Amino acid sequence: MPLKNKHRLKWGRLCRFLTQTKISTKITCLYAAILFVILIFTSAIMGVGVYASFYHQAETEIDISMEHIQKRLSDGEHLAGILNSENFVLPGVILMVTDITGQEIYKNDVHYPSLDVIESHRVENPPFWANKSMEVSELDRFSLYHATMNIMDNGQIYQLHFFRTITAEQGFLEHLQRVLFIITIIGFLIALLAGYFLSSRILRPIRILTQTARKIEVERMDRRIEVPPVHDELSELATTFNHMLDLLEAGFQQQQRFVSDASHELRTPVTVILGYSDLLSRWGSSDKKILEEGINSIRTEAEDMQQLIEKLLFLARADQKRQAVHKEYLELSELVEDVVRKMKFAVGRHSLMLGENDAGCIFADPVTMRQMLRIFLENAVKYTPEGGHITVVSKRNDAKKAMQVEIADDGIGISPEDQDKIFDRFYRADPSRTKDVGSVGGTGLGLSIARWIADQHDITIDLVSSLGEGSTFILTIPLAEKNEKSDDSIKMRPGIFSLHS
Ligand code: ADP
């Protein structure tokens, strides 16, 4: 295999190892590798340091010996006298004297190798920590430092050679190197074990998180991860994960409720239609009254169903942020007047009054704004007995920079415990009470749609109501700034519709 391909294969394997191994293994390897490098580095520094200090020691001893002899010579002593005395060099330092021809004439250790042997073993490139003015020779079993000094005695020139062996130190250093090597290996193994232990401990919550995530199924969304007591990144991750599960569970439950409520709402009209179609198939051709009643009922149920489907589609579009809201500058008084006028045709025996209707410019989508006003008005009609009064007023509140539209009725009212819930999807207050007003009851979706439209326009909805006395819905609609620059057809603002919003 060509060398290039071999390298590529190696890199490929390494990349696969890095991408596929567990984080704990990666951390262990990294931890061990770092410690290994540190140990090697410190051992090397230590070895070099000890070596350098031994060489320095030898160098100092030679220097002291040289200076000592130099001083005695300058004090007038002769070389022969010095060599006959004791301790003219430090213990361990060898002195060799040669004459001008290089002939060895004195050596304080007769067993010491000759000058020629030492010279022949001179090291060309001594270690960088060795003194440059001295020579280093490596013999079979030892190395030595060598310094020379020329002197004049009795008119003769002599060369003094000072030697200092560093054999003992070298033995020690070799031993030290072996010890350091073993320590490095042991340290590496300990680092591997410690790294493995530590990383597994640190990553334990992540493993639990993974296991919990695996166990979570659509049917069992109530499982949560235990949040570690210490506040660190992992506890933050667990909290965030649990929070995400809370949201998912709430969303999922909401969706399930929505689907079951919608199916439930659709089941009744479908059952009625099926019942009437059975009746028609049996008696329709012979009994004209049954035929007429059947067709009318089927039509009414189909219309109800259509309305329900329209509302469901609206909310589905809203949830998917696909419901278009094209805002433009509108005169609210005109919009209110128009909606109330058209509503008057549908109120039957109720009295619908438009009171104060102040002028005010708002920036809103006319279609959904009408839809919202109609929902409140239709409810007022639905939940007010015949002959009841419904009043609409629209007041300008300059202090709040808003228009305040109040839709009041003197109908059945809403109990305090229901007031929080009527904006929930499919929520209907006690249906037995609605019978009092002869209302067929709605779908429970109208106010959810109204709340969504209000949210899209920053409109706040307040409710004042008490059972048996009627209800007043107060809409606070922001006034549009005169110099406000806006696109006439702004698409729907992103906003999440919440059941409890
Ligand atoms: P529905 O289609 O049932 O009217 P809504 O979402 O419009 O659905 O209203 C939810 C519930 O709020 C109604 O079922 C009713 O109990 C109550 N409600 C709404 N408006 C009024 C009102 N003006 N007076 C009394 N109850 C009301």
Side-chain angles (χ1 to χ4, degrees):
M1 193 187 291
L3 203 66
K4 219 174 167 187
N5 282 359
K6 253 188 186 175
H7 279 306
R8 213 173 283 163
L9 208 73
K10 264 188 199 167
W11 276 113
R13 265 194 218 136
L14 185 69
C15 287
R16 219 172 309 137
F17 170 77
L18 288 175
T19 49
Q20 290 178 3
T21 36
K22 288 182 183 171
I23 294 183
S24 57
T25 317
K26 279 186 207 161
I27 292 180
T28 308
C29 291
L30 195 75
Y31 187 70
I34 291 175
L35 203 85
F36 186 68
V37 170
I38 292 174
L39 280 174
I40 293 274
F41 190 67
T42 45
S43 304
I45 298 257
M46 214 162 109
V48 170
V50 171
Y51 251 100
S53 91
F54 282 146
Y55 268 77
H56 183 71
Q57 173 76 19
E59 182 192 321
T60 315
E61 284 176 16
I62 288 179
D63 273 346
I64 291 172
S65 302
M66 284 170 93
E67 274 166 22
H68 179 71
I69 290 183
Q70 187 92 55
K71 188 170 176 299
R72 284 176 72 173
L73 285 170
S74 48
D75 285 349
E77 270 188 73
H78 287 290
L79 182 62
I82 296 169
L83 296 177
N84 276 329
S85 66
E86 280 188 359
N87 299 333
F88 49 87
V89 286
L90 285 181
V93 176
I94 309 293
L95 176 67
M96 192 186 279
V97 183
T98 53
D99 60 16
I100 194 151
T101 60
Q103 188 69 38
E104 192 181 301
I105 55 165
Y106 175 83
K107 191 155 66 175
N108 66 344
D109 181 350
V110 283
H111 303 293
Y112 213 71
S114 68
L115 186 60
D116 292 342
V117 173
I118 292 170
E119 284 290 328
S120 65
H121 285 86
R122 190 149 61 88
V123 175
E124 285 301 321
N125 298 310
F128 68 86
W129 53 81
N131 189 325
K132 297 286 173 271
S133 64
M134 299 186 191
E135 288 172 1
V136 178
S137 296
E138 291 271 2
L139 278 87
D140 281 349
R141 278 168 286 116
F142 62 96
S143 13
L144 54 86
Y145 235 157
H146 175 195
T148 48
M149 183 171 87
N150 291 329
I151 59 157
M152 178 80 96
D153 185 50
N154 277 338
Q156 291 277 338
I157 295 171
Y158 297 100
Q159 200 166 33
L160 306 187
H161 301 268
F162 296 86
F163 302 102
R164 166 74 161 76
T165 52
I166 29 189
T167 319
E169 288 83 347
Q170 240 173 6
F172 167 78
L173 284 173
E174 275 161 23
H175 186 68
L176 182 77
Q177 268 171 352
R178 265 198 302 276
V179 169
L180 285 178
F181 178 73
I182 292 168
I183 287 177
T184 306
I185 296 294
I186 292 174
F188 179 69
L189 292 176
I190 290 174
L192 268 181
L193 283 175
Y196 181 73
F197 175 74
L198 276 177
S199 59
S200 339
R201 242 194 112 71
I202 292 170
L203 297 173
R204 204 174 80 97
I206 293 188
R207 270 201 305 281
I208 297 174
L209 202 129
T210 315
Q211 281 161 8
T212 316
R214 271 204 202 113
K215 280 183 203 151
I216 291 166
E217 292 160 19
V218 174
E219 292 79 24
R220 300 258 4 230
M221 284 192 102
D222 55 336
R223 283 172 194 267
R224 293 293 177 270
I225 290 167
E226 209 180 303
V227 180
V230 268
H231 186 79
D232 56 10
E233 288 88 344
L234 289 171
S235 71
E236 228 170 87
L237 178 68
T239 315
T240 314
F241 188 80
N242 284 346
H243 179 65
M244 187 192 75
L245 284 178
D246 288 344
L247 293 180
L248 279 177
E249 192 183 10
F252 187 71
Q253 280 173 359
Q254 178 184 332
Q255 197 190 4
Q256 269 185 332
R257 217 171 31 238
F258 191 70
V259 171
S260 87
D261 286 345
S263 335
H264 184 77
E265 288 299 323
L266 286 167
R267 204 165 52 191
T268 319
V270 170
T271 315
V272 174
I273 289 173
L274 281 174
Y276 274 109
S277 46
D278 271 355
L279 196 73
L280 286 178
S281 66
R282 258 186 253 160
W283 314 105
S285 51
S286 54
D287 191 332
K288 205 159 174 247
K289 209 172 145 213
I290 287 183
L291 181 72
E292 210 169 288
E293 190 196 322
I295 290 174
N296 279 344
S297 301
I298 288 175
R299 187 176 174 82
T300 315
E301 291 302 325
E303 273 170 6
D304 282 356
M305 244 163 71
Q306 192 187 28
Q307 266 186 28
L308 176 67
I309 290 166
E310 290 293 333
K311 285 176 182 167
L312 285 174
L313 282 176
F314 184 99
L315 287 172
R317 279 198 301 273
D319 285 350
Q320 291 166 14
K321 297 179 184 149
R322 284 193 302 113
Q323 177 59 49
V325 176
H326 300 289
K327 291 187 186 175
E328 56 190 73
Y329 291 101
L330 299 173
E331 177 47 57
L332 183 65
S333 57
E334 286 171 15
L335 188 92
V336 170
E337 197 185 327
D338 191 52
V339 174
V340 171
R341 197 182 59 242
K342 285 182 179 144
M343 195 68 202
K344 273 190 175 156
F345 298 111
V347 292
R349 289 191 202 153
H350 294 83
S351 127
L352 174 57
M353 286 265 300
L354 174 61
E356 185 182 344
N357 188 14
D358 293 345
C361 179
I362 59 163
F363 189 63
D365 171 40
V367 179
T368 49
M369 277 299 281
R370 273 171 198 280
Q371 196 177 350
M372 181 182 71
L373 290 175
R374 259 202 316 270
I375 289 171
F376 288 113
L377 280 172
E378 278 169 7
N379 277 350
V381 175
K382 253 194 294 185
Y383 303 110
T384 304
E386 284 192 355
H389 300 86
I390 299 154
T391 324
V392 180
V393 287
S394 176
K395 290 183 257 180
R396 190 186 174 98
N397 187 334
D398 282 317
K400 281 189 182 171
K401 287 190 181 162
M403 296 298 293
Q404 207 155 300
V405 179
E406 295 176 12
I407 300 146
D409 63 62
D410 54 1
I412 59 171
I414 304 163
S415 68
E417 57 272 20
D418 281 337
Q419 286 178 19
D420 293 337
K421 301 177 195 147
I422 52 170
F423 291 95
D424 294 355
R425 291 181 189 188
F426 293 106
Y427 187 81
R428 277 178 279 177
D430 185 5
S432 60
R433 281 190 293 110
T434 41
K435 284 196 192 105
D436 302 344
V437 284
S439 169
V440 284
T443 55
L445 292 177
L447 288 182
S448 310
I449 294 174
R451 165 59 60 93
W452 184 84
I453 297 170
D455 284 347
Q456 301 310 304
H457 292 86
D458 294 327
I459 296 171
T460 52
I461 305 172
D462 293 298
L463 171 62
V464 181
S465 181
S466 54
L467 273 181
E469 286 176 23
S471 317
T472 305
F473 285 89
I474 305 157
L475 313 179
T476 309
I477 309 169
L479 276 166
E481 295 283 336
K482 285 265 160 52
N483 55 355
E484 197 176 303
K485 272 192 210 150
S486 288
D487 187 355
D488 264 7
S489 59
I490 292 172
K491 267 284 205 193
M492 192 198 91
R493 282 189 303 109
I496 299 165
F497 181 81
S498 148
L499 272 180
H500 304 281
S501 67

